[in-house]
């Protein structure tokens, strides 16, 4: 790794997923409960209040796609196939240790995949309202939250109190604030880090079984990065073009998209995707008298392409391009992801109105298109 990229700060986060395997076993050995999740719409505060650990089950490689395609069609989103493949091939320790898997109706492919996954594990699916402009959307999501609470209380013989929910919201808010502060370091000119490194810090929290310690680690990373920057460290050359990346979840294609950008004279100053800033800026208003309504409103503010119309995403993109001084927008669409594939029209039009160059790349988890992607992204950066 290039010494200019502050390896001493980021190395501790790079193996978080693997280290989490051992922590998951430790949790189970002492009688703890684990819920596997797939999406940022999963209300983590409810599981925190129940004393149940949550861990992300999203697949990020094509290692198990072949196993998944024995049951799933080939022309399906690689994220769905990878996630299911790791479960059906028994190659994901998190799925193995999970007492419950929680899904949500953020896409039709995932909905049907959950039905197959239910043959292997206990799966609970939340029905997400997909028209947030309807007056009943919040009430519908509050009802889903209540049903989830009832299901958890019955299954695990527990009681989820309002006090525990408020405390969980406060703790999650603190972690979101830490993540947001980490990503907003990139507003500086030049930015103090490459996005590949920041993503490792962000991603580490998805595999931590000690939320307070995870939040403290992110906060400390923010302090260290800023302190190094204030001392004159400039790991990112000032000549790097400032890029915003948007679109589908990019965990499985990070290296060949963000990596290609940052190896070709660019720096990703903002990740708008699900694993980036889109969900972290939204807090739960813990001063609200009805805490479930506050939780529901927070999650319904996430600008996912499954929402129609998806007004929150377009407004957020408008804000981010200005705040992060964006010089180019790259949209990453996973093959067969119809909501994001269609919505790129709106993103392209928004980019045109803002006067910011735009490029959309469609890819999957394989490495077969690595050369082509690198060429396209390099050409885009040269144009800037």
């Amino acid at each position: 790794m290039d010494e200019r990229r502050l390896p001493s700060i980021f190395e501790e986060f790079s193996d978080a997923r693997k280290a989490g395997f051992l922590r998951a076993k430790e949790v189970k050995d002492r009688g703890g409960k684990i819920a596997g999740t797939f999406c940022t719409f999963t209300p983590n505060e409810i599981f925190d209040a129940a004393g149940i650990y949550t861990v992300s089950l999203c697949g990020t490689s094509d290692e198990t796609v072949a196993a998944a395609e024995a049951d799933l069609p080939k022309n399906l989103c690689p994220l769905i196939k990878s996630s299911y493949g790791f479960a059906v091939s028994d190659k994901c320790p998190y799925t193995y240790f999970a007492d419950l898997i929680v899904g949500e109706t953020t896409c039709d492919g995932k909905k049907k995949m959950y039905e197959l996954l239910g043959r292997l594990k206990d799966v609970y699916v939340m029905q997400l309202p997909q028209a947030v402009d309807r007056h009943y959307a919040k009430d519908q999501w509050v009802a889903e939250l209540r049903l989830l609470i009832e299901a958890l209380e019955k299954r695990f013989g527990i009681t989820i109190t309002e006090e525990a929910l408020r405390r969980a919201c406060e703790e999650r808010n603190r972690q979101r604030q830490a993540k947001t502060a980490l990503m907003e370091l990139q507003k500086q000119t030049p930015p103090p880090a490459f996005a590949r490194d920041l993503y490792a810090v962000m991603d580490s929290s998805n595999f931590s079984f000690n939320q307070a310690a995870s939040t403290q680690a992110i906060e400390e990373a923010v302090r260290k990065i800023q302190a190094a920057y204030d001392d004159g460290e400039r790991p990112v050359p000032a000549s790097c073009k400032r890029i915003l990346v948007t679109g589908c979840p990019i965990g499985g294609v990070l290296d060949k998209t963000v990596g290609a950008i940052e190896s070709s004279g660019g720096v990703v100053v903002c990740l708008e995707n699900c694993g980036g800033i889109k969900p972290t800026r939204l807090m739960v208003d813990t001063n609200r008298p009805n805490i479930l309504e506050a939780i529901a409103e927070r999650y319904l503010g996430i600008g996912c392409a499954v929402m129609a119309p998806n007004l929150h995403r377009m407004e957020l993109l408008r804000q981010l391009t200005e705040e992060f001084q964006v010089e180019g927008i790259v949209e990453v669409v996973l093959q067969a992801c119809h909501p994001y594939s269609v919505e790129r029209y709106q993103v392209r039009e928004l980019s045109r109105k803002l006067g910011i160059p735009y490029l959309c790349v469609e890819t999957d988890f394989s490495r077969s298109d690595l050369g082509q992607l690198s060429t396209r992204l390099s050409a885009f950066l040269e144009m800037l």
Side-chain angles (χ1 to χ4, degrees):
M1 182 181 291
D2 187 344
E3 290 183 358
R4 296 182 306 168
R5 293 177 58 200
L6 308 177
S8 61
I9 294 175
F10 297 108
E11 279 182 354
E12 60 194 90
F13 297 98
S14 60
D15 291 326
R17 185 185 294 264
K18 295 178 183 177
F21 295 159
L22 297 178
R23 297 193 194 103
K25 184 178 184 304
E26 292 169 0
V27 167
K28 296 300 295 180
D29 286 344
R30 62 174 185 264
K33 303 299 182 184
I34 296 175
T37 67
F38 290 98
C39 184
T40 54
F41 280 102
T42 304
N44 287 305
E45 293 85 352
I46 290 176
F47 294 91
D48 296 342
I52 300 171
Y53 297 95
T54 55
V55 63
S56 175
L57 299 182
C58 284
T60 57
S61 81
D62 65 346
E63 177 186 351
T64 61
V65 166
E69 288 177 346
D71 298 331
L72 300 175
K74 294 182 183 298
N75 61 338
L76 189 64
C77 166
L79 177 60
I80 299 174
K81 290 192 291 185
S82 178
S83 300
Y84 179 77
F86 273 104
V88 76
S89 63
D90 207 21
K91 289 187 176 181
C92 177
Y94 294 128
T95 305
Y96 175 80
F97 286 124
D99 297 277
L100 178 69
I101 291 177
V102 183
E104 74 309 310
T105 55
T106 48
C107 90
D108 291 339
K110 287 168 70 175
K111 285 194 298 187
K112 303 309 290 185
M113 182 270 281
Y114 293 147
E115 294 178 6
L116 300 185
L117 194 56
R119 301 173 305 159
L120 309 175
K121 302 289 288 191
D122 187 3
V123 176
Y124 184 93
V125 180
M126 302 188 71
Q127 302 294 323
L128 178 72
Q130 297 177 4
V132 291
D133 60 334
R134 293 292 194 268
H135 68 86
Y136 56 77
K138 184 179 72 174
D139 292 340
Q140 182 180 338
W141 194 228
V142 169
E144 282 295 315
L145 299 184
R146 293 190 188 281
L147 287 174
L148 175 63
I149 289 173
E150 292 172 6
L152 294 178
E153 289 180 331
K154 181 178 180 180
R155 190 187 193 288
F156 296 107
I158 58 175
T159 299
I160 299 174
T161 66
E162 181 175 334
E163 179 184 0
L165 277 172
R166 290 189 181 276
R167 187 168 57 250
C169 290
E170 291 170 355
E171 292 173 355
R172 284 285 171 179
N173 279 350
R174 180 187 168 191
Q175 186 172 90
R176 293 180 189 117
Q177 289 165 353
K179 289 181 175 181
T180 300
L182 177 72
M183 290 181 284
E184 289 188 347
L185 289 172
Q186 298 293 83
K187 290 182 177 181
Q188 299 173 93
T189 305
F194 285 99
R196 285 170 290 180
D197 295 324
L198 294 185
Y199 188 87
V201 181
M202 290 277 294
D203 195 46
S204 68
S205 65
N206 293 326
F207 309 98
S208 172
F209 292 87
N210 185 329
Q211 187 182 328
S214 172
T215 300
Q216 290 173 6
I218 296 172
E219 292 170 340
E220 183 61 20
V222 173
R223 285 191 289 269
K224 287 182 177 180
I225 296 168
Q226 187 60 56
Y229 192 80
D230 292 342
D231 287 341
E233 292 280 352
R234 294 293 183 271
V236 180
S239 60
C240 286
K241 299 299 182 182
R242 303 173 66 89
I243 304 299
L244 179 146
V245 170
T246 183
C248 294
I250 61 169
V253 296
L254 184 78
D255 288 339
K256 67 178 184 178
T257 54
V258 174
I261 291 170
E262 297 189 330
S263 298
S264 304
V267 56
V268 175
V269 292
C270 184
L271 286 167
E272 182 269 346
N273 316 63
C274 295
I277 206 167
K278 175 159 51 183
T280 67
R281 280 191 163 189
L282 300 171
M283 306 294 161
V284 175
D285 183 358
T286 56
N287 294 319
R288 291 279 297 276
N290 188 324
I291 193 62
L292 280 186
E293 285 190 0
I295 294 173
E297 287 185 0
R298 183 262 164 193
Y299 282 90
L300 289 179
I302 298 173
C304 176
V306 72
M307 297 299 181
N310 188 11
L311 303 178
H312 292 304
R313 183 188 180 203
M314 297 306 136
E315 180 55 34
L316 178 61
L317 285 172
R318 187 184 300 274
Q319 294 171 9
L320 295 176
T321 54
E322 180 178 350
E323 292 179 23
F324 286 83
Q325 305 169 63
V326 171
E327 297 175 272
I329 294 176
V330 174
E331 182 156 25
V332 178
V333 175
L334 296 177
Q335 289 178 4
C337 180
H338 299 144
Y340 275 100
S341 182
V342 174
E343 196 165 275
R344 60 184 168 184
Y345 173 85
Q346 287 99 311
V347 179
R348 185 176 67 241
E349 285 300 294
L350 176 63
S351 302
R352 182 183 60 79
K353 291 177 182 178
L354 295 174
I356 299 175
Y358 166 89
L359 175 70
C360 180
V361 294
E362 186 171 338
T363 186
D364 61 11
F365 286 1
S366 74
R367 297 184 64 82
S368 61
D369 61 346
L370 182 60
Q372 181 189 50
L373 276 180
S374 297
T375 300
R376 290 189 64 200
L377 289 167
S378 295
F380 179 70
L381 290 165
E382 287 180 12
M383 178 190 71
L384 300 181

